Amino acid sequence: SEVSLSAFCFLFSEMVQYYQTRVNTTQELEKKLAGAGYGVGARMLELVCFREKGSKRETRIVGILSYIKDNIWKAMFGKAADALERSTEREDEYMIHEKEPLVNTYVSVPKDFGHLNCASFVAGAVHGILDSADFGARVTAHTTQLASETRTTILVKFSPEVMERERRLG
């Protein structure tokens, strides 16, 4: 029961165009896309857990992020995310890297929306997943340049309560 690539891209493009007519800035558009992704993420966690009858509830940060990177990403986009990385500077920040996110592939950005990153939708989905799993966090999407390649980074900054729970469990 997969959705065809062309159908997904058409629907996503229409959603971007719909929100585009109702906002004035790139930041407002990214916020709208993240809001749309939030509901999708909350439902994807339920769906993937239901389909994997033997899955257990993740209680650790690395466990839930790995589950998102591998299982949920594959259910949403047909493949696992490229990488999961912990920040070397801050212990409460983690990054999910994707070289070519599907949501950025078939969307042409008008000049007045300059540096729009449609992966804000994916960041919203990750935020919805984490909230549903009781991992409070702030999730944002960023375009990063690494040597000769451009990739999208989903930055996850966990709340102090989640970090305290992680310390108690560890």
Side-chain angles (χ1 to χ4, degrees):
S1 62
E2 289 185 13
V3 175
S4 73
L5 177 62
S6 60
F8 172 80
C9 291
F10 173 73
L11 287 173
F12 187 76
S13 172
E14 287 297 312
M15 184 177 67
V16 171
Q17 288 176 27
Y18 173 81
Y19 286 134
Q20 208 172 340
T21 61
R22 288 158 174 74
V23 298
N24 297 317
T25 65
T26 304
Q27 291 80 16
E28 288 176 4
L29 181 54
E30 288 178 346
K31 190 173 182 179
K32 291 276 190 187
L33 290 173
Y38 184 91
V40 171
R43 288 170 184 82
M44 281 305 295
L45 178 64
E46 292 177 29
L47 177 67
V48 174
C49 286
F50 179 74
R51 285 183 178 170
E52 296 174 357
K53 297 187 186 334
S55 71
K56 61 180 176 72
R57 183 180 185 281
E58 294 292 343
T59 57
R60 305 297 300 267
I61 289 174
V62 173
I64 190 70
L65 290 175
S66 295
Y67 189 75
I68 291 169
K69 175 194 163 291
D70 296 326
N71 301 41
I72 295 178
W73 214 274
K74 186 170 185 183
M76 288 178 72
F77 304 113
K79 68 176 192 74
D82 294 327
L84 172 63
E85 179 183 350
R86 183 177 181 176
S87 173
T88 55
E89 298 165 10
R90 297 186 178 98
E91 71 171 15
D92 62 346
E93 288 185 353
Y94 290 79
M95 295 158 277
I96 299 173
H97 300 289
E98 183 72 23
K99 288 181 185 160
E100 294 180 21
L102 185 61
V103 294
N104 287 351
T105 306
Y106 299 103
V107 176
S108 55
V109 180
K111 290 179 182 172
D112 55 330
F113 280 96
H115 299 292
L116 172 67
N117 189 345
C118 290
S120 293
F121 176 82
V122 178
V126 171
H127 188 201
I129 294 164
L130 290 171
D131 271 3
S132 294
D134 198 27
F135 285 86
R138 190 174 53 107
V139 185
T140 53
H142 305 275
T143 303
T144 53
Q145 188 71 31
L146 196 67
S148 63
E149 82 178 12
T150 302
R151 64 182 181 178
T152 297
T153 300
I154 306 296
L155 179 65
V156 180
K157 182 173 178 59
F158 287 100
S159 67
E161 296 83 20
V162 172
M163 297 309 295
E164 178 60 32
R165 182 178 67 206
E166 185 76 10
R167 278 189 279 284
R168 278 184 301 190
L169 290 173

